[in-house]
Structure formats: C-alpha cells, structure tokens
Amino acid sequence: SDADPETMSAEARNHARIARDRVRVVDWTALDPKAEFDVVIDALIGVGGSARLRDPLPERLRILNAFNALRVAVDVPTGLDALTGLVHEDAFRAHLTITMGGPKAGFYAVKARPIVGEIVVVGIGAPEVITAGYAAAQVIEPSDVRRLLPDRALNVSKFDLGRVLVIGGSRGMRGAPSMTSEAVLRTGAGLCILATPSVHPLTPREVMTEVLPMNANGVIGTEARAQLQAQLERATVVAIGPGLGSDGTMQRMLADLLNTLDPAVPVVIDADGLRLVPMLQRDLSHVVLTPHEGEFRRLVDSLPTHADGPMVHPADVATALGCVVHRKGVPSVTTDGRSAVWTVIGNPGMATAGSGDVLTGIIAGLAAQGLAPYRAAALGAYLHARAGDIAAERTSERFMVATDIIRALADVV
C-alpha cells in the first residue's frame, strides 16, 4: 500500500483504517518479489478500471503475476476493461475472479478469457430485478435447458413436431445440407425434407429427399421452382443456405420464393443463403440469420445505410431488418434488437467445416417443435456449443469434426 489517506473517500479511508488494524500492511517498496505466497489477491481498482494503466501500476502487476501462487481478482482483474474486454499487456492474470452481482460483459472477449480465469459470482444484496435491468445480455446455463426445451405429450406424433424443409447443396458441397438435415432430426423435429440437386451418400435414411434440377454451374436450376414451391407450401420451418452456392440467377429465384412464403413460417438463413437477404421484401420477424464475422460484415455492406449511423452490432442489423440475428464468434450473440443472449461456451475445435451447418439444423429443429425464433436461436446456439465441448472432451479440439458435434447432442441434456 502507498495510498494517501487524504485522497481517499470517507468510506475508503474508514476501510483502510480497519485493514491496518487487522492485517500487516507493507509498502510496495518493501515488497520482496522473491517472497513466497499461497494466494495473491488483486483488489487494486475494480469494475471502474480500464486497459489504460498509468505508472506505477504496470510494474506492480508484473510483480504480482510473477508470484507462484493462486491469483484471485476481486470483481475485475486490474488492467481489464469490464465493458469492452480490452486488456493491458501487464493486466493481472487471475486464476479466479470473484465478481459482484453478475459477470461483466468484457469477461467474455477473446483476450479477456485467459485474464479472468474461473468466474464466481457473489451477491452484494442488490435485488435481481436491478441486476437484470443493467445487464447487457443474458447467458443460458445448464439449469435453463430443460425449462426451455418443449415438453412432449404421451400421444405426440411426428406430425406434431414439425416438418422442416432444408434447401441447399450443390455439386461440390453436398455434405453441408446433409449435416443440417441430420441435426434437424437429432434435435427432435418430426420430419425433415432435404431439397438439393445432389444428395450426399451419407445422408441419414430418416431424411426424405427432393432431388432438384442442377444447372451447368452445379447449383439448383431455376427449373426447380415448382418443386420447391410445393415443398414450401407444406413446410412448417425452412432452413436455407448450407452449400447453396453463389449463382445469382438461382439466388433471385429463391428470394422470390421466400418473398411469397407465409411470414409466420420460421426461416433459418445461413451461409450462401445470407446473400438472399437484401432481396427479401417481406416481414422478417420469424427469420433467423446466422452469419459468422465475415458474413456479418458482408451483410452489413449489402444493406442501405441506417438512418442512425453505421450498423456495427448484431442488434443494429436485427433492428433494421426486424429479424433475429445470431452472429457467431467469441462470444456468439443472439439478438432480436431489444435483448440479447450470449453463448460463452464452446471451443476452438468447433472452427471446422460444417459446424455452422449443424447449428442451422439445430435451430430449425427447435423451431419445428414450437420454440419462437429468438428462443430457438439462443437455445440452439447453447446446445451446439455444449455438444462441441463434449465432442472435444471425447476426441480433442484439434481432431474433432462437425459430425462429432451432432453425435454429442444426445449427451447435452
């Protein structure tokens, strides 16, 4: 300690006096960097700090980080901006962060993860309604899953659990919609129809197929319009995009079909299907978009400039389009523009071909069972990430593939 009591608030000055009466206080200049401690506790700044540290804090944090001890941060590790997740290079590297009231938004940023360590939330007496009122987002926890999953009556039939139409695939990308379709059924939908110009041979037998005409570019031909129209009229949920390809003529035909679809039918749009969004002129309130970071930027660039300024956050796009947006990332963000749910689990092993196609199928499968699009997207993202973590435990992050995520779904609940 080297704080001047005269610069402290009355409350801080009182607690400093109590501390000096109860523990041994050592000035920083007298602290031996080679001393041995079992626990080092960082209570230097707290939630009001930022990643911009002034001297002498960086030097002192380097001393604390060098101790071979359990490092515990109180509320927020010093050097971490609790709002943005920006991190100073000498930030306190906690093994455990004991935070007040609720986790801070910045804890889940990529660079913050190794700084925060394990997070333990403790109450400080504030009513939950106050905490919820200031929360930037919600996080699904294991205890929420059974509450959010729909119950099944004893006399339920497959016709009660939704008919999902998956539209996608091309000559070189047959596997993408095949994995989407399998995820639809593994998540509990009653029926899945895969409409594609080329069926992958490992598509599950339980998936019904509608083979579509293929044009010279190896994608869905415009001659498929009548077949697709007939399937769309029977579908209770549509998932479109995996493996679709970027042929402009095909995309205009598909966008035209979606514009005539009943707006109450949930639609999950991913991958190349996101290129259709600027062409959609309809109510999008039951539409879920699932872009990764690159697709999100491309989507933003394709939309008219928003009257309130540039659209940089998923909530901006969700509000502008009137839809649900799930942007994949760390953390993943699901939002309808008014509220948000963050997915803060998952692992780098999920960065593998087909992982997003599986997520599309999970969300569509949940929507088929009656979950509203926003809830289906948020819960689907959690189930996808948790299955990814289980798959990584079984195989390893380095060697897992997308179908490992599908196989792990049964063990999530």
Side-chain angles (χ1 to χ4, degrees):
S1 169
D2 59 1
D4 181 356
E6 295 304 319
T7 65
M8 299 179 184
S9 66
E11 185 178 15
R13 188 162 53 247
N14 182 50
H15 284 288
R17 179 187 58 77
I18 294 172
R20 288 188 173 92
D21 290 343
R22 296 184 180 183
V23 299
R24 183 168 64 95
V25 178
V26 178
D27 190 272
W28 281 99
T29 59
L31 182 62
D32 182 3
K34 297 181 180 179
E36 294 185 2
F37 297 100
D38 296 318
V39 181
V40 173
I41 299 176
D42 163 30
L44 289 169
I45 296 182
V47 72
S50 74
R52 298 187 300 274
L53 298 179
R54 292 177 293 184
D55 291 334
L57 275 176
E59 178 186 358
R60 290 170 180 175
L61 288 169
R62 288 193 291 271
I63 294 172
L64 298 183
N65 285 329
F67 287 125
N68 183 22
L70 173 66
R71 294 190 295 275
V72 181
V74 177
D75 209 16
V76 177
T78 300
L80 167 64
D81 188 311
L83 180 62
T84 65
L86 295 175
V87 176
H88 189 279
E89 61 181 352
D90 294 311
F92 185 78
R93 303 182 69 85
H95 298 111
L96 171 68
T97 294
I98 301 174
T99 195
M100 318 304 177
K104 310 304 184 282
F107 287 1
Y108 300 113
V110 173
K111 292 184 178 179
R113 294 287 184 94
I115 300 297
V116 176
E118 181 183 352
I119 301 169
V120 174
V121 178
V122 295
I124 55 174
E128 287 189 11
V129 65
I130 294 179
T131 303
Y134 283 95
Q138 295 178 318
V139 172
I140 293 177
E141 297 180 342
S143 58
D144 297 319
V145 174
R146 287 195 179 277
R147 175 179 60 85
L148 294 172
L149 284 173
D151 293 327
R152 291 193 174 195
L154 290 175
N155 63 342
V156 70
S157 78
K158 62 187 177 184
F159 302 107
D160 300 314
L161 299 174
R163 180 186 179 97
V164 179
L165 174 63
V166 176
I167 303 174
S170 54
R171 182 186 293 130
M173 293 184 286
R174 299 182 295 170
S178 176
M179 287 185 284
T180 299
S181 301
E182 183 174 357
V184 165
L185 293 178
R186 290 290 182 186
T187 308
L191 294 162
C192 183
I193 298 88
L194 169 57
T196 183
S198 183
V199 180
H200 193 282
L202 295 181
T203 300
R205 292 166 293 185
E206 297 88 349
V207 175
M208 295 181 286
T209 55
E210 177 81 11
V211 181
L212 304 175
M214 181 189 299
N215 70 16
N217 295 324
V219 302
I220 297 171
T222 54
E223 304 90 337
R225 186 186 183 101
Q227 286 176 261
L228 288 169
Q229 183 69 59
Q231 290 292 347
L232 285 166
E233 290 172 358
R234 302 180 64 191
T236 59
V237 176
V238 177
I240 184 167
L244 193 64
S246 57
D247 182 273
T249 302
M250 171 199 64
Q251 289 178 353
R252 286 188 291 274
M253 181 264 290
L254 293 176
D256 188 42
L257 285 171
L258 289 183
N259 280 327
T260 64
L261 182 67
D262 181 353
V265 175
V267 180
V268 185
I269 306 179
D270 184 34
D272 286 324
L274 294 166
R275 299 176 186 271
L276 308 180
V277 174
M279 295 182 271
L280 298 181
Q281 300 175 350
R282 44 160 284 177
D283 176 10
L284 302 180
S285 58
H286 285 69
V287 172
V288 179
L289 311 181
T290 61
H292 56 57
E293 184 62 38
E295 291 167 338
F296 180 78
R297 289 196 299 269
R298 186 181 70 205
L299 177 62
V300 167
D301 290 342
S302 71
L303 298 175
T305 302
H306 197 250
D308 296 328
M311 291 182 284
V312 295
H313 299 295
D316 298 333
V317 175
T319 300
L321 295 177
C323 67
V324 175
V325 174
H326 173 81
R327 190 188 65 186
K328 305 163 193 172
V330 180
S332 291
V333 178
T334 308
T335 179
D336 60 359
R338 298 178 297 276
S339 59
V341 177
W342 288 4
T343 305
V344 298
I345 58 174
N347 62 85
M350 300 176 71
T352 184
S355 179
D357 304 319
V358 172
L359 173 61
T360 298
I362 294 173
I363 295 173
L366 292 172
Q369 297 169 74
L371 271 72
Y374 179 43
R375 181 165 287 189
L379 179 58
Y382 175 87
L383 297 177
H384 179 252
R386 181 69 190 109
D389 286 344
I390 294 172
E393 292 169 4
R394 290 176 177 172
T395 58
S396 84
E397 293 180 5
R398 188 173 300 276
F399 300 117
M400 63 185 282
V401 294
T403 49
D404 294 330
I405 301 174
I406 297 176
R407 296 188 186 100
L409 276 171
D411 297 309
V412 170
V413 181

